[in-house]
Amino acid sequence: MIKNKKVTPESTKKPKMVIEINNLSKGFDDMQVLKKLSLKLYDGENLVVLGKSGSGKSVLIKCIVRLLNPDQGTIMVLGENVSELKSKKLARLREKIGFLFQSGALYDSMTIKENLEFPLRRIKKKLSKKERDKKIEETLEHVGLADTLHKMPSELSGGMRKRASLARTIVVDPMIMLYDEPTTGLDPVTSGGISALINDVQKKYLTSSIIITHDIECARATADRIIMLKDGEIYMEGNIDDFENSTDEVIQSFFKQKA
Amino acid sequence: MSINTLVVKQQVIKLSEKTIEKTKEANVFFSGIGDFFLFLWKTTRETFSLNFEFNEFLRQCFQIGYKTLPLISVTGLIMGLVLTIQSRPVLVDFGAVSMLPGMVSLSIIREMGPVITALICAGKIGSGIGAELGSMKVSEQIDAMEVSSTHPIRFLVVTRVLAATLMIPVLVLYADALGILGSWAGANIKGSVSFVLFFNQAFRVVDFMDFLPAVIKTFFFGAVIGLVGCYKGYSAGHGTESVGKAANSAVVLASLLVIIVDLIAVQITDMLL
């Protein structure tokens, strides 16, 4: 692993840790996807995880919310060991984590309003209907989709679906955001818009985020710190300048290819 | 090494390769059965959980019950009509045409109505559920539900299985009624019999114990169709191809299980009555 100077959001302050992963291993059949991986996410930080397809990026964040069970290692999220949580406690922890899926994963039998209402009804149970409607309208306005309230997901473009999906994730005020390839399949202009939105969300909702991507522009726009995965292990850690100035062949080939 | 030894060696290698292949197939088969029972256990456990998704259950009752009515109406009417047209000549030969309403109503209520309706529902409802849940799985909607603190089995599976369990008996009763109506229409093609006389004769031979086991088994048909549809959709693999496979295998397995449940129900009824 190539390790550059330790980069934390505000290294002088001793930032609070929100996610701590130690020796995480995960495999499928004969293939080992993650190999004793360790990483930390600090409060208020945008951590970008770069890597080629199949390097284990998505598996990593799916393990964090326990959509996949790790074979080995510990994952501490907001001070709780995810692997040891019973279903009720896990559900409560998941309420604090927003997960933006690669495909958007909007419920296609529901309108955009119903999509946002779905988690809101279950997580913010105390909100009245009026408060719920107001919250939905505000969130959709924030992502620039105020006029799509009664539209079906199939009526939206790819970029709009990503925004709607992001709105559904942030409507419940999560503390941690996990983005799985947020700009994949989008044109450069729309991708730029999504990257800006990720930064907006961090500022407005004070979230800590892990952004899984292989889009260098997205990494450049959003990253406080970058980790590059290769064959299930951390290959390099640093900020965008460290990566761009790196003379390592693998890093160079990745950055040149994507430039 | 002699030629014979080489041939024997090759045969042994071939045999071991085939054994490994068959063992793998058996493993997949048995792990599939294990997965199904695990799924059944999770569904049963969530059925009795406190947070019942009542609105989704009502929506599913509407989808499964109301939206299947047109198909069941046509099937029920034709079932009675065909049964009457086919049976009438034989009964005329024996001079027993007056037994036609009773015979047709008995066969519709005891067997034809429940089984044909259940098979139609296995096709429409089973494939619908399988494809819907399969596509939700493939497009990560089920995962999205899980991370937003909603138990997908409680929201998607329990509601659909319960709706199918309750709606299919209603659809069967409706199909039975239309079947007998179709039979009256069939009887009037070549003869003339009044509506009241036909229904009087039809229900004279049917007693409560013909009716009860037939209705009870339809609850099991409903549960089987709902469960198989959900299981196949829920366990769909990746890619759009697996959605088609999930829908297809849901229909095949649900239809097969309906026939098997019917056989068991008939045996139990026969032993008890």
Side-chain angles (χ1 to χ4, degrees):
Chain A
M1 174 184 152
I2 305 167
K3 195 153 185 172
N4 286 291
K5 64 183 179 212
K6 184 122 183 163
V7 185
T8 57
E10 290 162 76
S11 42
T12 48
K13 268 191 187 172
K14 228 187 181 186
K16 199 177 122 193
M17 214 180 309
V18 286
I19 295 179
E20 185 179 9
I21 297 171
N22 282 315
N23 297 321
L24 175 67
S25 296
K26 176 72 188 169
F28 300 97
D29 299 324
D30 300 332
M31 196 173 66
Q32 196 62 29
V33 180
L34 295 175
K35 296 168 194 163
K36 295 201 166 184
L37 186 139
S38 299
L39 68 82
K40 288 168 183 149
L41 174 73
Y42 297 96
D43 194 18
E45 180 189 28
N46 272 354
L47 171 67
V48 168
V49 180
L50 281 176
K52 287 181 182 170
S53 302
S55 58
K57 308 184 298 291
S58 298
V59 172
L60 169 69
I61 54 169
K62 283 186 177 171
C63 285
I64 293 174
V65 286
R66 220 170 89 187
L67 280 174
L68 292 172
N69 283 314
D71 297 337
Q72 239 183 9
T74 55
I75 302 170
M76 302 294 290
V77 178
L78 300 169
E80 304 206 65
N81 189 341
V82 176
S83 312
E84 287 175 1
L85 290 178
K86 300 264 182 208
S87 57
K88 272 188 185 172
K89 279 196 169 179
L90 179 66
R92 242 173 274 147
L93 181 69
R94 280 172 171 169
E95 288 172 5
K96 296 171 191 162
I97 306 171
F99 197 117
L100 182 74
F101 286 86
Q102 189 175 350
S103 59
L106 288 169
Y107 308 128
D108 45 24
S109 60
M110 300 181 194
T111 63
I112 298 302
K113 186 190 175 193
E114 287 165 344
N115 261 283
L116 268 74
E117 215 171 18
F118 189 87
L120 205 54
R121 267 174 184 274
R122 286 159 177 82
I123 295 172
K124 305 268 179 191
K125 288 175 186 162
K126 286 178 184 167
L127 290 185
S128 66
K129 192 184 177 318
K130 214 174 175 184
E131 288 169 321
R132 239 181 4 241
D133 287 350
K134 197 180 164 207
K135 179 103 178 136
I136 290 169
E137 277 169 29
E138 274 175 8
T139 314
L140 280 175
E141 210 171 288
H142 182 212
V143 298
L145 291 177
D147 54 345
T148 61
L149 209 61
H150 301 292
K151 287 194 172 167
M152 298 301 285
S154 55
E155 294 173 74
L156 304 184
S157 67
M160 286 164 95
R161 272 205 291 271
K162 275 270 159 74
R163 282 168 182 271
S165 183
L166 182 57
R168 186 183 64 184
T169 313
I170 59 177
V171 78
V172 290
D173 305 322
M175 293 168 74
I176 300 169
M177 283 292 298
L178 304 174
Y179 298 91
D180 190 4
E181 311 265 11
T183 56
T184 297
L186 302 176
D187 63 84
V189 177
T190 315
S191 294
I194 295 287
S195 301
L197 204 53
I198 291 172
N199 288 333
D200 279 356
V201 167
Q202 190 210 15
K203 276 181 202 146
K204 190 174 176 190
Y205 298 90
L206 304 172
T207 54
S208 316
S209 317
I210 295 182
I211 302 147
I212 301 292
T213 189
H214 46 69
D215 176 3
I216 301 299
E217 286 311 315
C218 175
R220 197 172 278 136
T222 58
D224 292 318
R225 183 162 58 105
I226 300 176
I227 278 174
M228 183 162 182
L229 290 189
K230 187 173 176 279
D231 302 326
E233 290 172 306
I234 295 180
Y235 186 74
M236 181 175 163
E237 185 180 349
N239 60 29
I240 190 76
D241 294 333
D242 298 330
F243 275 81
E244 283 182 325
N245 299 330
S246 171
T247 50
D248 182 80
E249 252 178 58
V250 176
I251 305 290
Q252 277 300 309
S253 69
F254 193 83
F255 271 69
K256 270 180 197 165
Q257 229 173 26
K258 301 284 170 184
Chain B
M1 200 180 281
S2 70
I3 295 172
N4 275 348
T5 322
L6 265 176
V7 171
V8 170
K9 205 177 171 185
Q10 275 176 348
Q11 294 284 348
V12 169
I13 291 169
K14 266 188 186 173
L15 194 68
S16 11
E17 277 172 356
K18 272 192 178 174
T19 311
I20 291 167
E21 200 181 302
K22 291 289 169 194
T23 313
K24 276 183 184 168
E25 279 174 18
N27 263 344
V28 171
F29 177 74
F30 286 113
S31 69
I33 291 176
D35 286 347
F36 180 75
F37 279 102
L38 190 66
F39 184 78
L40 181 64
W41 158 244
K42 283 181 184 170
T43 308
T44 313
R45 196 182 56 192
E46 288 305 320
T47 305
F48 298 104
S49 74
L50 291 173
N51 305 320
F52 184 65
E53 301 279 354
F54 192 70
N55 286 343
E56 179 64 9
F57 167 71
L58 286 183
R59 200 177 76 86
Q60 289 307 321
C61 284
F62 177 77
Q63 292 282 342
I64 291 171
Y66 182 72
K67 291 207 167 171
T68 318
L69 275 181
L71 186 64
I72 296 298
S73 306
V74 176
T75 314
L77 267 173
I78 292 174
M79 174 174 64
L81 197 70
V82 168
L83 203 60
T84 306
I85 295 169
Q86 295 273 28
S87 323
R88 198 172 185 280
V90 184
L91 292 174
V92 168
D93 286 348
F94 286 97
V97 76
S98 63
M99 291 173 76
L100 182 74
M103 192 204 80
V104 172
S105 62
L106 208 59
S107 34
I108 286 178
I109 288 170
R110 286 181 75 154
E111 196 57 34
M112 298 285 284
V115 172
I116 289 184
T117 309
L119 289 175
I120 295 285
C121 289
K124 187 183 183 293
I125 299 165
S127 67
I129 294 176
E132 188 188 9
L133 263 58
S135 89
M136 286 184 83
K137 178 82 187 290
V138 168
S139 58
E140 297 178 304
Q141 290 174 52
I142 291 181
D143 286 345
M145 213 167 261
E146 204 166 336
V147 294
S148 62
S149 289
T150 304
H151 204 303
I153 288 198
R154 191 184 304 151
F155 186 82
L156 297 171
V157 178
V158 171
T159 51
R160 281 161 176 77
V161 173
L162 282 183
T165 309
L166 291 179
M167 286 297 110
I168 284 174
V170 176
L171 290 171
V172 167
L173 291 177
Y174 175 71
D176 286 353
L178 280 177
I180 296 168
L181 194 71
S183 172
W184 170 70
N188 276 289
I189 291 175
K190 284 197 174 172
S192 174
V193 55
S194 77
F195 184 78
V196 176
L197 179 65
F198 186 88
F199 270 77
N200 270 337
Q201 284 188 337
F203 285 102
R204 193 171 291 158
V205 292
V206 179
D207 64 26
F208 186 67
M209 290 318 287
D210 291 316
F211 191 72
L212 188 68
V215 172
I216 291 173
K217 72 180 173 188
T218 58
F219 285 96
F220 289 95
F221 290 166
V224 159
I225 292 167
L227 257 174
V228 169
C230 288
Y231 171 69
K232 286 291 176 186
Y234 210 84
S235 53
H238 301 286
T240 44
E241 192 194 356
S242 60
V243 179
K245 273 186 186 168
N248 183 270
S249 57
V251 177
V252 174
L253 189 59
S255 306
L256 185 69
L257 287 177
V258 161
I259 304 285
I260 292 171
V261 169
D262 186 50
L263 177 69
I264 296 167
V266 167
Q267 291 295 323
I268 293 172
T269 312
D270 197 42
M271 279 191 309
L272 294 177
L273 300 178

